[in-house]
Structure formats: C-alpha cells, structure tokens
Amino acid sequence: AVELSPDYAEAWSARARARRQSGDLKGGVRNASQAIELKPEDAGFVVGDTVVAPKEEKDKAAAGEA
C-alpha cells in the first residue's frame, strides 16, 4: 500500500505494526516515523502501537502471562 500511496500515513502505520509484530522493531520504528511525519496528530497512537505495545508484550511474557 505504501508503494501505491506513499502519502497515506495509515498505510505506513499499518506497515510499522506488521513489522513490529514480525519481530522487526527497527523497521517498525522507521515506518512509524514516516507515518508521524505525514500525520503528526496521530503520533501518540503510532508510537504506542509500535513501541509501547511490544514492551508490554515482552513484560507479560517475562511474567508468564503470555
């Protein structure tokens, strides 16, 4: 989707989430940065979904909750 519509922030955000979920945190952060650049008003959501969510998942797994 980002190739077809490079100015579509939601596509970059979705790609960031997919990369993060596949274990590519650096790629997720790069894509999240692009989404934030295009739509800064969504920065809190994008950062939370790409950076905060993986930490919470890691913490739950460490506590045996996952």
Side-chain angles (χ1 to χ4, degrees):
V2 296
E3 291 83 9
L4 297 174
S5 241
D7 293 333
Y8 186 49
E10 287 81 1
W12 285 101
S13 182
R15 187 170 163 179
R17 185 172 39 261
R19 287 194 168 188
R20 189 258 314 161
Q21 290 173 341
S22 73
D24 180 10
L25 185 56
K26 287 182 183 181
V29 170
R30 280 193 306 273
N31 289 166
S33 295
Q34 182 66 27
I36 292 167
E37 184 176 320
L38 292 169
K39 198 169 180 184
E41 63 272 18
D42 286 350
F45 169 76
V46 173
V47 169
D49 195 44
T50 307
V51 178
V52 176
K55 181 179 179 337
E56 290 174 353
E57 291 168 5
K58 183 179 177 182
D59 292 347
K60 284 182 181 179
E65 297 176 25

